[in-house]
Amino acid sequence: MGKVIAVANQKGGVGKSTTTVNLAAYLGSRGKTVLCIDIDAQGNLTTGFGIHKKELSCSTYEVFTGKASIKEAIIQTEFQNVSVVPATADLAGAETELVQMEQRFNRLKMQVLTIKENYDFIFIDCPPALGQLTLNGMVACDQILIPMLAEFYALEGLTQLVNTMKLVRTNYNPELDILGIVFTMYDNRLNVSRQVVEEVEQYFSTKVFQTKIPRNVRLSEAPSYGKPVMYYDKHSKGTLAYECLGKEILGEPLSNLTKLRMNMTKN
């Protein structure tokens, strides 16, 4: 049975969708079957896999509102072993509609349970807010992957997220845990970046990934081509970074991490 991972942080622009797309692509290239569920009305994950939203007849909006099952919404991408449940702008209305529904925080979980055994990994790309949709993601998952920036304001957001996790664990999902914290758009030349990492490691020492995702032009360009970075430029720093993160999640040795650190220092 697959591991369900929610990629969450209520702050926007921290690389949630980028992390989900590229981590899924790497794990898929390693022979793992991966499903990505886009529950952000912006649909960045959907775009990142080259899926055209205007052509969709079924999305996470229909899944949340009970108009379709999750099986009906799954799309097989052109990328190895990766499928997607896409999102459209319609999903923005679900926040309001869910308030009136029964089992409003369990709706995604009930759907995920019907397909969980078909995948090695299921990633839920959450919106940048701690609303009904993100809470559904937290209730449906086994663990949370937290992308964050190495900035002091990000520490406040991390505290709020952890407090919300505690509430979800108490009321809905007692097994909920943090898979790990990954620093994104990281620049190790900045003192503030290193200071924030040190502070987070002080409180979450076993939960901070060794891999830091650097700022990388290729990583930023890849979504406009509808491709994960490894399919856009397999030799880029972004590709190497997500390979290292994927290996950490798989529990494998990080032979390329030293090389990545050297490249980050040069740039």
Side-chain angles (χ1 to χ4, degrees):
M1 187 173 287
K3 178 182 287 188
V4 183
I5 300 168
V7 184
N9 190 326
Q10 74 271 27
K11 286 185 66 65
V14 299
K16 290 186 294 295
S17 298
T18 298
T19 294
T20 308
V21 167
N22 291 294
L23 192 52
Y26 173 73
L27 294 171
S29 74
R30 292 291 307 276
K32 304 298 182 182
T33 52
V34 184
L35 176 66
C36 296
I37 305 174
D38 194 345
I39 63 169
D40 183 354
Q42 296 177 85
N44 291 336
L45 178 138
T46 301
T47 301
F49 280 114
I51 297 169
H52 301 290
K53 299 172 191 173
K54 292 182 179 180
E55 299 174 4
L56 297 172
S57 59
C58 192
S59 67
T60 44
Y61 172 75
E62 282 74 24
V63 173
F64 271 107
T65 56
K67 297 174 182 176
S69 70
I70 196 167
K71 292 179 182 177
E72 294 174 286
I74 293 172
I75 295 174
Q76 177 65 49
T77 73
E78 62 183 279
F79 309 106
Q80 188 177 3
N81 296 319
V82 179
S83 299
V84 171
V85 180
T88 66
D90 292 341
L91 188 60
E95 283 279 358
T96 304
E97 293 179 51
L98 282 169
V99 175
Q100 310 297 328
M101 294 181 182
E102 295 182 4
Q103 296 290 319
R104 57 178 173 158
F105 295 130
N106 286 295
R107 297 188 72 82
L108 183 60
K109 180 177 182 177
M110 291 187 292
Q111 292 285 341
V112 167
L113 288 174
T114 66
I115 47 90
K116 188 174 181 179
E117 63 184 14
N118 300 334
Y119 299 92
D120 295 310
F121 290 93
I122 297 175
F123 290 98
I124 303 170
D125 186 28
C126 298
L130 293 176
Q132 311 258 4
L133 296 174
T134 296
L135 289 172
N136 262 271
M138 288 186 176
V139 172
C141 75
D142 303 310
Q143 295 177 303
I144 295 180
L145 173 61
I146 307 171
M148 68 177 289
L149 305 181
E151 299 175 352
F152 279 113
Y153 283 131
L155 294 173
E156 293 181 0
L158 179 60
T159 301
Q160 293 170 8
L161 182 63
V162 170
N163 288 338
T164 301
M165 281 184 60
K166 290 177 181 177
L167 292 173
V168 172
R169 190 182 295 127
T170 300
N171 295 291
Y172 300 101
N173 186 357
E175 303 302 319
L176 182 63
D177 192 17
I178 296 174
L179 171 64
I181 298 167
V182 57
F183 285 97
T184 57
M185 294 176 251
Y186 184 75
D187 188 342
N188 64 355
R189 297 171 299 181
L190 302 177
N191 287 334
V192 66
S193 296
R194 295 193 295 272
Q195 289 169 5
V196 170
V197 170
E198 288 173 4
E199 187 159 347
V200 173
E201 287 179 338
Q202 185 176 355
Y203 292 98
F204 300 93
S205 58
T206 63
K207 297 294 186 180
V208 179
F209 286 106
Q210 293 182 56
T211 303
K212 311 289 187 292
I213 310 299
R215 292 187 182 274
N216 178 239
V217 173
R218 294 302 200 193
L219 199 53
S220 300
E221 291 174 345
S224 65
Y225 291 87
K227 295 181 179 181
V229 69
M230 67 178 294
Y231 289 93
Y232 176 62
D233 183 351
K234 64 180 180 180
H235 300 296
S236 71
K237 284 194 301 182
T239 299
L240 180 58
Y242 280 106
E243 177 185 338
C244 289
L245 181 60
K247 286 185 175 180
E248 281 200 75
I249 287 175
L250 292 173
E252 296 179 357
L254 296 175
S255 57
N256 282 326
L257 188 56
T258 301
K259 182 179 177 182
L260 174 62
R261 285 172 175 161
M262 290 176 63
N263 288 341
M264 288 171 65
T265 303
K266 289 177 184 177
N267 295 311

